[in-house]
């Protein structure tokens, strides 16, 4: 189970960072198509209905078919290089910070490091730390996933140079405010609900009765459920972040329908409410929930698996070192 446990945890902060990086890398490869779909829906101004003639995408299957026909299979991995930098960096910082914070809380305060409230606070703080560290890469990922044909950015280097020259360094941190506001409760809820579901599963099926593969499946299911709950509760802030991140990028969005320019977070909220209604804040929710279920489940699954492998390697090395 993630979080500091003096009786069971055997990974250091550095090993937690390594496991988090590996988890992020493997997960990103598998969920990239869902991420592209989510971003396309989030950035579409028109109503998500086949009765709306201006809407390019009406549903998940229709969007998949249209993207494949117009842009080819590789379109589902647009922005994959910056997305991998994002996942590897984010996973490393988040899990290293989370393990360190839960250990600090356990050692310095009277709170148990395995408590769900501690997981909420430490998970939120760890995610905020990771977000600030990788925000420029997240902005690049969003722009690559958002652009159609012909491409505005031809490579990661070209994108960085163009954004810096035309929009300045602040462009890389667009959408940071709603990101920070959203990521704390989102990640906090992820970790706390994962912890709650893990404890519930232990109550239903004691650990001694579970086989190894059953524990892995349990981690996947608990992570998926935690991802769905946390994403649903914090989704509007994720949409606001995406809208703000593509500011100044309107010409690349022209092929997808209407575009808007937002002066800031409050102006973005106002325009969406006036033009798209309350439902506008939940555009792309279906692919987003699908992505959240898959990605969060896989992240916790791979993280727990890599931590278990590291612990196993350390336990096998210890006797050899003692004999030497």
């Amino acid at each position: 189970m993630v979080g500091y446990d003096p009786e069971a945890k055997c990974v250091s902060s550095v090993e937690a960072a390594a496991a988090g990086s590996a988890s992020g890398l493997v997960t990103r490869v598998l969920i990239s198509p869902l991420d592209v779909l989510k971003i396309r829906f989030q950035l579409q101004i028109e109503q998500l209905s086949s009765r709306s003639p201006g809407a390019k995408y009406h549903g998940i299957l229709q969007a998949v078919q249209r993207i494949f026909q117009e842009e080819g299979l590789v379109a589902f991995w647009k922005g994959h290089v910056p997305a991998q930098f994002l996942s590897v960096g984010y996973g490393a910082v988040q899990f290293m910070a989370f393990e360190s914070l839960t250990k600090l809380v356990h050692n310095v305060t009277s709170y148990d490091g395995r408590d769900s409230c501690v997981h909420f606070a430490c998970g939120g703080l760890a995610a905020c730390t990771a977000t600030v560290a990788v925000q420029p890469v997240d902005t690049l990922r969003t722009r690559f996933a958002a652009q159609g044909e012909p491409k505005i950015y031809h490579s990661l280097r070209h994108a960085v140079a163009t954004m810096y020259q035309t929009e300045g360094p602040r462009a890389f941190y667009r959408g940071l405010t709603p990101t920070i506001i959203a990521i704390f409760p989102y990640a906090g809820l992820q970790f706390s609900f994962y912890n709650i579901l893990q404890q519930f599963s232990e109550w239903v099926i004691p650990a001694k009765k579970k086989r190894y593969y059953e524990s892995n499946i349990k981690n996947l299911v608990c992570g998926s459920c935690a991802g769905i709950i946390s994403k649903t509760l914090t989704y509007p802030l994720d949409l606001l972040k995406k809208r703000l991140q593509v500011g100044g990028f309107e010409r690349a969005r022209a092929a997808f329908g209407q575009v808007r320019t937002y002066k800031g977070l409050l102006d973005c909220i106002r325009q969406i409410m006036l033009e798209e209604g309350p439902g506008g804040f939940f555009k792309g929710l279906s692919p987003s929930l699908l992505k959240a279920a898959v990605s969060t489940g896989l992240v916790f699954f791979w993280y727990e698996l890599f931590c278990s492998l590291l612990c196993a390697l350390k336990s096998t090395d210890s006797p050899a070192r003692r004999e030497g």
Side-chain angles (χ1 to χ4, degrees), residues 41-42 48 231-237 239 243 272 276-288:
F41 277 112
Q42 285 180 325
L48 303 179
K231 176 57 70 175
T232 302
L233 295 174
T234 61
Y235 185 76
L237 288 166
L239 181 136
R243 292 283 182 99
I272 292 174
E276 304 167 59
F281 294 101
F282 290 91
K283 282 183 174 177
L285 181 61
S286 296
S288 186

Side-chain angles (χ1 to χ4, degrees), residues 242-260:
K242 291 294 185 293
R243 292 283 182 99
L244 292 171
Q245 281 182 327
V246 295
F249 193 53
E250 287 76 15
R251 61 194 180 107
R253 300 289 309 148
F256 297 102
Q258 300 178 49
V259 295
R260 292 290 183 273

Side-chain angles (χ1 to χ4, degrees), residues 52-309:
S52 178
K56 188 178 182 71
Y57 306 122
H58 308 136
I60 294 177
L61 294 179
Q62 182 267 345
V64 169
Q65 183 180 25
R66 186 152 189 177
I67 292 172
F68 180 75
Q69 290 175 344
E70 296 179 353
E71 305 170 53
L73 184 63
V74 294
F76 295 101
W77 279 269
K78 277 186 174 179
H80 187 64
V81 174
Q84 275 295 8
F85 282 120
L86 170 68
S87 296
V88 170
Y90 187 90
V93 176
Q94 182 186 35
F95 280 104
M96 180 174 66
F98 180 76
E99 298 288 355
S100 299
L101 287 169
T102 52
K103 182 177 181 179
L104 180 66
V105 169
H106 184 87
N107 293 335
V108 175
T109 72
S110 59
Y111 291 98
D112 189 342
R114 294 164 289 185
D115 188 80
S116 295
C117 294
V118 173
H119 277 223
F120 175 81
C122 292
L125 289 172
C128 288
T129 304
T131 296
V132 173
V134 302
Q135 177 68 11
V137 183
D138 190 21
T139 300
L140 287 166
R141 183 279 306 257
T142 297
R143 292 202 176 194
F144 272 105
Q147 71 176 352
E149 300 293 341
K151 294 183 176 68
I152 301 298
Y153 303 135
H154 306 295
S155 65
L156 183 59
R157 182 178 179 181
H158 178 245
V160 172
T162 302
M163 288 175 64
Y164 184 83
Q165 292 171 0
T166 59
E167 303 173 57
R170 293 183 63 183
F172 296 99
Y173 286 91
R174 278 187 172 157
L176 182 60
T177 301
T179 302
I180 292 295
I181 294 172
I183 200 64
F184 184 92
Y186 175 57
L189 289 169
Q190 272 188 341
F191 279 97
S192 61
F193 273 108
Y194 180 73
N195 186 47
I196 291 169
L197 292 168
Q198 286 275 22
Q199 292 178 358
F200 178 75
S201 69
E202 294 293 341
W203 177 71
V204 174
I205 308 175
K208 294 181 180 179
K209 296 183 179 180
K210 284 198 288 285
R211 299 174 185 174
Y212 181 73
Y213 72 88
E214 291 175 334
S215 295
N216 290 332
I217 294 173
K218 178 200 70 173
N219 295 336
L220 182 65
V221 172
C222 290
S224 296
C225 293
I228 291 172
I229 296 169
S230 56
K231 176 57 70 175
T232 302
L233 295 174
T234 61
Y235 185 76
L237 288 166
D238 186 45
L239 181 136
L240 292 168
K241 179 190 77 170
K242 291 294 185 293
R243 292 283 182 99
L244 292 171
Q245 281 182 327
V246 295
F249 193 53
E250 287 76 15
R251 61 194 180 107
R253 300 289 309 148
F256 297 102
Q258 300 178 49
V259 295
R260 292 290 183 273
T261 301
Y262 305 113
K263 297 176 182 178
L265 178 59
L266 294 178
D267 182 56
C268 185
I269 294 172
R270 183 185 63 82
Q271 288 198 47
I272 292 174
M273 180 61 74
L274 290 175
E275 298 181 10
E276 304 167 59
F281 294 101
F282 290 91
K283 282 183 174 177
L285 181 61
S286 296
S288 186
L289 288 181
L290 181 59
K291 180 209 165 187
V294 175
S295 63
T296 308
L298 288 175
V299 162
F300 281 113
F301 168 82
W302 288 113
Y303 178 74
E304 298 271 26
L305 182 62
F306 287 130
C307 283
S308 298
L309 291 174

